[in-house]
Amino acid sequence: MTEQESSGTAQGLGEDFGRRFVQGVQRLLGENAEALGELDRRAGDGDFGTSVRAALSQLDRETEQEQPSTYRQWLSALYRGWLAVGGTSGPLFGVFFRELAKAGEADGTPQVEELVEALAAGQAIVQRYGEAEVGDKTMVDALAPAVEAMRRSLHDGEPSQHVLEAGEAAAVEGARSSAESLARRGRASYVGEASQGVIDPGAAAMALVLGAARAAADAGRGEQHPREVDTAWLV
């Protein structure tokens, strides 16, 4: 890796990555809240779309009050938004984003390696609190393969663009594969076989989060026509 590539900007994140990432998460989850809620109505208790909207509304209040400017401040607003939501998903997404907020230095933008390790830490805490493994039909079905793919890409010396693309692709594939499983954790586990054939909404949301990270990094490189996050697989 060259000296230039070791900097945050050369790693494809950019100084304003935190704002772009959080606003991307907000846009993608907001635009797809109805679809996520429909998945939960088919395979769970049906409240996930409401939880998403509540978290994003709280995020609006947090950003208006705190006026974040750094990566850590933006991610902190996001995790506080989710922690204000009850149920199962609010606390789990909240502690996940809290781990992401710890990436890098307090006033700087994390490098890709630091972001990947923060994602791994987020996976670990979600699994510790949620007691879920891959195949249990939870957000872990998207997050775990994404972390694995990103670590493998880093190990192979691939550029940051490929690292983030690998994470997004693995997360989407993991989310889509969750349709094949029976829910064994969370409230969705109460509906038994009714959950089979339906993508887990938490895994779907996590795939959108990974897509938002990739798109935010693309924009940070100054691409004139960055690739949009594909959401067609949700329906």
Side-chain angles (χ1 to χ4, degrees):
M1 183 179 295
T2 66
E3 180 179 353
Q4 181 185 21
E5 288 173 334
S6 67
S7 69
T9 300
Q11 283 290 322
L13 298 183
E15 294 301 320
D16 207 21
F17 174 76
R19 177 187 63 79
R20 293 192 305 272
F21 178 29
V22 171
Q23 289 181 347
V25 169
Q26 187 171 30
R27 179 180 65 82
L28 284 167
L29 293 185
E31 290 176 353
N32 293 283
E34 182 61 33
L36 294 169
E38 178 59 26
L39 291 175
D40 201 33
R41 282 189 288 273
R42 293 168 59 194
D45 60 3
D47 69 346
F48 189 62
T50 301
S51 296
V52 167
R53 294 186 184 94
L56 298 183
S57 294
Q58 182 61 31
L59 171 61
D60 278 335
R61 290 188 284 271
E62 291 282 344
T63 55
E64 182 177 356
Q65 178 178 348
E66 300 297 330
Q67 295 293 304
S69 59
T70 66
Y71 168 87
R72 186 160 296 184
Q73 290 169 353
W74 275 102
L75 269 292
S76 295
L78 182 57
Y79 88 66
R80 287 195 296 266
W82 276 98
L83 284 178
V85 177
T88 303
S89 58
L92 288 177
F93 274 93
V95 295
F96 167 74
F97 285 120
R98 186 172 63 191
E99 292 303 310
L100 259 61
K102 299 175 184 177
E105 300 295 329
D107 295 328
T109 299
Q111 296 186 16
V112 169
E113 295 90 339
E114 294 171 322
L115 180 64
V116 172
E117 289 313 302
L119 286 164
Q123 175 192 335
I125 198 166
V126 165
Q127 290 190 270
R128 183 163 71 247
Y129 288 149
E131 299 182 340
E133 301 293 338
V134 173
D136 285 346
K137 209 177 184 79
T138 71
M139 68 176 77
V140 174
D141 285 2
L143 180 55
V147 169
E148 181 180 359
M150 296 173 86
R151 281 176 160 171
R152 184 166 57 248
S153 184
L154 282 171
H155 180 268
D156 291 343
E158 296 182 350
S160 61
Q161 178 182 1
H162 293 174
V163 173
L164 294 169
E165 288 175 349
E168 179 185 15
V172 170
E173 181 58 30
R176 295 180 66 180
S177 296
S178 70
E180 304 168 7
S181 305
L182 287 174
R184 291 191 288 269
R185 287 286 182 263
R187 295 180 183 177
S189 63
Y190 303 157
V191 302
E193 293 185 0
S195 68
Q196 195 157 25
V198 182
I199 292 173
D200 178 69
M206 185 59 68
L208 295 179
V209 169
L210 270 294
R214 189 273 307 158
D218 284 354
R221 289 193 298 274
E223 295 186 12
Q224 292 185 348
H225 303 290
R227 179 169 57 87
E228 290 291 327
V229 177
D230 178 26
T231 61
W233 54 271
L234 274 171
V235 296

Coordinates of all heavy atoms in Angstrom, one line a residue, residues 49-98:
G49 N -41.2 -1.7 10.3 CA -41.3 -0.5 9.5 C -41.6 0.7 10.4 O -41.0 1.8 10.2
T50 N -42.4 0.5 11.4 CA -42.7 1.6 12.4 C -41.4 1.9 13.2 O -41.1 3.1 13.5 CB -43.8 1.1 13.4 OG1 -45.0 0.8 12.6 CG2 -44.1 2.2 14.4
S51 N -40.7 0.9 13.6 CA -39.4 1.1 14.3 C -38.4 1.9 13.5 O -37.7 2.8 14.0 CB -38.8 -0.2 14.7 OG -39.6 -0.9 15.6
V52 N -38.3 1.6 12.2 CA -37.4 2.3 11.3 C -37.8 3.8 11.2 O -37.0 4.7 11.4 CB -37.5 1.7 9.9 CG1 -36.8 2.6 8.9 CG2 -36.8 0.3 9.9
R53 N -39.1 4.1 11.1 CA -39.5 5.4 11.0 C -39.3 6.2 12.3 O -38.9 7.4 12.3 CB -41.0 5.5 10.6 CG -41.3 5.0 9.2 CD -42.8 5.2 8.8 NE -43.1 4.6 7.5 CZ -43.6 3.4 7.3 NH1 -43.8 2.6 8.4 NH2 -43.9 3.0 6.1
A54 N -39.5 5.5 13.4 CA -39.3 6.1 14.7 C -37.8 6.5 14.9 O -37.5 7.6 15.4 CB -39.8 5.2 15.8
A55 N -36.9 5.5 14.5 CA -35.5 5.8 14.7 C -35.0 6.9 13.8 O -34.2 7.8 14.2 CB -34.7 4.5 14.3
L56 N -35.6 7.0 12.6 CA -35.2 8.1 11.7 C -35.7 9.4 12.1 O -35.1 10.5 12.0 CB -35.6 7.8 10.3 CG -35.0 6.5 9.6 CD1 -35.5 6.4 8.2 CD2 -33.5 6.5 9.7
S57 N -36.9 9.4 12.7 CA -37.4 10.7 13.3 C -36.6 11.2 14.4 O -36.3 12.4 14.6 CB -38.9 10.5 13.7 OG -39.7 10.2 12.6
Q58 N -36.2 10.2 15.3 CA -35.3 10.6 16.4 C -33.9 11.1 15.9 O -33.3 12.0 16.4 CB -35.1 9.4 17.3 CG -34.2 9.7 18.6 CD -34.8 10.8 19.4 OE1 -36.1 11.0 19.5 NE2 -34.0 11.6 20.1
L59 N -33.4 10.5 14.8 CA -32.2 10.9 14.2 C -32.3 12.4 13.7 O -31.4 13.2 13.9 CB -31.8 10.0 13.0 CG -30.7 10.5 12.1 CD1 -29.4 10.5 12.9 CD2 -30.5 9.5 10.9
D60 N -33.4 12.7 13.1 CA -33.6 14.1 12.7 C -33.5 15.1 13.9 O -32.9 16.1 13.8 CB -35.0 14.3 12.1 CG -35.1 13.9 10.6 OD1 -34.0 13.9 10.0 OD2 -36.1 13.5 10.1
R61 N -34.1 14.7 15.0 CA -34.1 15.5 16.2 C -32.7 15.6 16.7 O -32.2 16.7 17.2 CB -35.0 15.0 17.3 CG -36.5 15.1 16.9 CD -37.4 14.8 18.1 NE -37.5 13.3 18.3 CZ -38.4 12.6 17.7 NH1 -39.3 13.1 16.8 NH2 -38.5 11.3 17.9
E62 N -31.9 14.5 16.7 CA -30.6 14.5 17.2 C -29.7 15.4 16.3 O -28.9 16.2 16.9 CB -30.0 13.1 17.1 CG -30.6 12.1 18.1 CD -30.0 12.3 19.5 OE1 -29.0 13.0 19.7 OE2 -30.7 11.8 20.5
T63 N -29.8 15.3 15.0 CA -28.9 16.1 14.2 C -29.3 17.6 14.2 O -28.4 18.4 14.1 CB -29.0 15.6 12.7 OG1 -30.3 15.6 12.3 CG2 -28.4 14.2 12.6
E64 N -30.6 17.9 14.4 CA -31.0 19.3 14.5 C -30.4 19.9 15.8 O -30.0 21.0 15.8 CB -32.5 19.4 14.5 CG -33.0 20.8 14.5 CD -34.5 20.9 14.4 OE1 -35.2 19.9 14.2 OE2 -35.0 22.0 14.6
Q65 N -30.4 19.1 16.9 CA -30.0 19.6 18.1 C -28.5 19.7 18.2 O -27.9 20.7 18.7 CB -30.5 18.7 19.3 CG -30.1 19.2 20.7 CD -30.7 18.3 21.8 OE1 -31.6 17.5 21.5 NE2 -30.2 18.4 23.0
E66 N -27.8 18.6 17.8 CA -26.4 18.5 18.0 C -25.5 19.1 16.8 O -24.3 19.4 17.1 CB -26.0 17.0 18.2 CG -26.7 16.3 19.3 CD -26.2 17.0 20.7 OE1 -25.1 17.5 20.8 OE2 -27.1 16.9 21.6
Q67 N -26.1 19.2 15.7 CA -25.4 19.8 14.5 C -24.0 19.0 14.3 O -22.9 19.6 14.4 CB -25.1 21.3 14.7 CG -26.4 22.1 14.6 CD -27.1 22.1 13.3 OE1 -26.5 22.4 12.3 NE2 -28.3 21.7 13.3
P68 N -24.1 17.7 14.1 CA -22.8 16.9 14.0 C -21.9 17.4 12.8 O -22.5 17.9 11.8 CB -23.3 15.5 13.7 CG -24.7 15.7 13.1 CD -25.3 16.9 13.8
S69 N -20.6 17.2 13.0 CA -19.7 17.6 11.9 C -18.7 16.6 11.6 O -18.1 16.5 10.5 CB -19.0 18.9 12.2 OG -18.3 18.8 13.4
T70 N -18.4 15.7 12.6 CA -17.4 14.6 12.4 C -18.1 13.3 12.2 O -19.3 13.1 12.5 CB -16.5 14.5 13.6 OG1 -17.2 14.1 14.8 CG2 -15.8 15.9 14.0
Y71 N -17.3 12.3 11.7 CA -17.8 11.0 11.6 C -18.4 10.5 12.9 O -19.5 9.9 12.9 CB -16.7 10.0 11.1 CG -17.0 8.6 11.2 CD1 -17.7 7.9 10.2 CD2 -16.7 7.8 12.3 CE1 -18.0 6.6 10.3 CE2 -17.0 6.5 12.4 CZ -17.7 5.9 11.4 OH -18.0 4.5 11.5
R72 N -17.7 10.6 14.0 CA -18.1 10.1 15.2 C -19.4 10.7 15.7 O -20.3 10.1 16.2 CB -17.0 10.2 16.3 CG -17.4 9.6 17.6 CD -16.2 9.3 18.5 NE -15.3 8.3 17.8 CZ -14.2 7.8 18.4 NH1 -13.8 8.3 19.6 NH2 -13.4 7.0 17.8
Q73 N -19.5 12.0 15.5 CA -20.7 12.8 15.9 C -21.9 12.3 15.0 O -23.0 12.1 15.6 CB -20.5 14.3 15.7 CG -19.6 14.8 16.8 CD -19.2 16.3 16.5 OE1 -19.5 16.8 15.4 NE2 -18.4 16.9 17.4
W74 N -21.7 12.1 13.7 CA -22.8 11.7 12.9 C -23.3 10.2 13.3 O -24.5 10.0 13.4 CB -22.4 11.7 11.4 CG -22.6 13.0 10.8 CD1 -21.6 13.9 10.5 CD2 -23.8 13.6 10.3 NE1 -22.2 15.1 9.9 CE2 -23.5 14.9 9.8 CE3 -25.1 13.2 10.3 CZ2 -24.5 15.7 9.2 CZ3 -26.1 14.0 9.8 CH2 -25.8 15.3 9.2
L75 N -22.3 9.3 13.5 CA -22.7 8.0 13.9 C -23.3 7.9 15.3 O -24.2 7.1 15.5 CB -21.5 7.1 13.8 CG -21.3 6.4 12.4 CD1 -22.4 5.3 12.2 CD2 -21.2 7.3 11.3
S76 N -22.9 8.8 16.1 CA -23.5 8.9 17.5 C -24.9 9.3 17.4 O -25.8 8.8 18.2 CB -22.7 9.8 18.4 OG -21.4 9.3 18.6
A77 N -25.2 10.2 16.5 CA -26.6 10.7 16.4 C -27.5 9.5 15.9 O -28.6 9.3 16.3 CB -26.7 11.8 15.4
L78 N -26.9 8.7 15.0 CA -27.6 7.6 14.4 C -27.9 6.5 15.5 O -29.0 6.0 15.6 CB -26.8 7.0 13.3 CG -27.4 5.8 12.5 CD1 -28.8 6.1 12.0 CD2 -26.5 5.3 11.4
Y79 N -26.8 6.2 16.3 CA -27.1 5.1 17.3 C -28.0 5.6 18.4 O -28.9 4.8 18.9 CB -25.8 4.6 17.8 CG -25.1 5.3 19.0 CD1 -25.7 5.3 20.3 CD2 -23.9 5.9 18.9 CE1 -25.1 5.8 21.4 CE2 -23.3 6.4 20.0 CZ -23.9 6.4 21.2 OH -23.3 7.0 22.3
R80 N -28.0 6.9 18.7 CA -29.0 7.4 19.7 C -30.4 7.3 19.2 O -31.3 7.1 19.9 CB -28.6 8.8 20.2 CG -27.4 8.8 21.1 CD -27.2 10.2 21.8 NE -27.0 11.3 20.8 CZ -25.9 11.8 20.4 NH1 -24.7 11.2 21.0 NH2 -25.8 12.8 19.6
G81 N -30.5 7.6 17.9 CA -31.8 7.5 17.3 C -32.4 6.1 17.4 O -33.6 5.9 17.7
W82 N -31.6 5.1 17.2 CA -32.1 3.7 17.3 C -32.3 3.3 18.7 O -33.2 2.6 19.0 CB -31.1 2.8 16.6 CG -31.4 2.7 15.1 CD1 -30.7 3.3 14.1 CD2 -32.4 1.9 14.5 NE1 -31.2 3.0 12.9 CE2 -32.3 2.1 13.1 CE3 -33.3 1.0 14.9 CZ2 -33.1 1.5 12.1 CZ3 -34.2 0.4 14.0 CH2 -34.1 0.6 12.6
L83 N -31.4 3.7 19.6 CA -31.6 3.3 21.0 C -32.8 3.9 21.6 O -33.3 3.4 22.6 CB -30.3 3.7 21.8 CG -29.1 2.9 21.6 CD1 -27.9 3.5 22.5 CD2 -29.3 1.4 22.0
A84 N -33.4 4.9 21.0 CA -34.6 5.5 21.6 C -35.8 4.7 21.2 O -36.9 5.0 21.7 CB -34.8 7.0 21.0
V85 N -35.6 3.7 20.3 CA -36.8 2.9 19.8 C -36.9 1.6 20.7 O -35.8 1.0 21.0 CB -36.5 2.5 18.3 CG1 -37.7 1.6 17.8 CG2 -36.5 3.7 17.5
G86 N -38.0 1.2 21.0 CA -38.2 0.0 21.8 C -38.2 -1.2 21.0 O -37.7 -1.2 19.8
G87 N -38.8 -2.3 21.5 CA -38.8 -3.5 20.8 C -37.5 -4.2 20.8 O -36.6 -4.0 21.6
T88 N -37.3 -5.1 19.8 CA -36.1 -5.9 19.6 C -35.1 -5.2 18.8 O -33.9 -5.1 19.1 CB -36.4 -7.3 19.0 OG1 -37.4 -8.0 19.9 CG2 -35.1 -8.1 18.9
S89 N -35.6 -4.6 17.7 CA -34.6 -4.1 16.7 C -34.0 -2.8 17.1 O -32.8 -2.6 16.8 CB -35.4 -3.8 15.3 OG -36.5 -2.9 15.5
G90 N -34.6 -1.9 17.9 CA -34.1 -0.7 18.3 C -32.8 -0.8 19.0 O -31.7 -0.3 18.7
P91 N -32.8 -1.6 20.1 CA -31.5 -1.7 20.9 C -30.4 -2.4 20.1 O -29.3 -2.1 20.2 CB -32.0 -2.6 22.1 CG -33.4 -2.3 22.2 CD -33.9 -2.1 20.9
L92 N -30.8 -3.4 19.3 CA -29.7 -4.1 18.5 C -29.1 -3.3 17.5 O -27.9 -3.2 17.3 CB -30.3 -5.4 17.9 CG -30.6 -6.5 18.9 CD1 -31.3 -7.7 18.2 CD2 -29.4 -7.0 19.6
F93 N -29.9 -2.5 16.7 CA -29.3 -1.6 15.7 C -28.6 -0.5 16.5 O -27.6 0.0 16.0 CB -30.4 -1.1 14.8 CG -30.6 -1.9 13.6 CD1 -31.6 -2.9 13.6 CD2 -29.9 -1.8 12.5 CE1 -31.9 -3.7 12.6 CE2 -30.1 -2.7 11.4 CZ -31.1 -3.6 11.4
G94 N -29.1 -0.1 17.6 CA -28.4 1.0 18.4 C -27.0 0.6 18.8 O -26.1 1.3 18.6
V95 N -26.9 -0.6 19.4 CA -25.5 -1.0 19.9 C -24.6 -1.3 18.7 O -23.4 -1.1 18.8 CB -25.6 -2.2 20.8 CG1 -26.3 -1.9 22.1 CG2 -26.2 -3.4 20.2
F96 N -25.2 -1.7 17.6 CA -24.4 -1.9 16.4 C -23.8 -0.6 15.9 O -22.6 -0.5 15.7 CB -25.2 -2.6 15.3 CG -24.6 -2.5 13.9 CD1 -23.6 -3.4 13.6 CD2 -25.1 -1.6 12.9 CE1 -22.9 -3.3 12.3 CE2 -24.5 -1.5 11.7 CZ -23.4 -2.4 11.4
F97 N -24.6 0.4 15.7 CA -24.1 1.7 15.3 C -23.2 2.4 16.3 O -22.4 3.1 15.9 CB -25.3 2.6 14.9 CG -26.0 2.2 13.6 CD1 -27.3 1.9 13.5 CD2 -25.2 2.2 12.4 CE1 -27.9 1.6 12.3 CE2 -25.8 1.9 11.2 CZ -27.2 1.6 11.2
R98 N -23.5 2.0 17.6 CA -22.6 2.6 18.6 C -21.1 2.1 18.4 O -20.2 2.8 18.6 CB -23.1 2.2 20.0 CG -22.3 2.9 21.1 CD -23.0 2.6 22.5 NE -23.0 1.2 22.8 CZ -23.7 0.7 23.8 NH1 -24.5 1.5 24.5 NH2 -23.7 -0.6 24.0

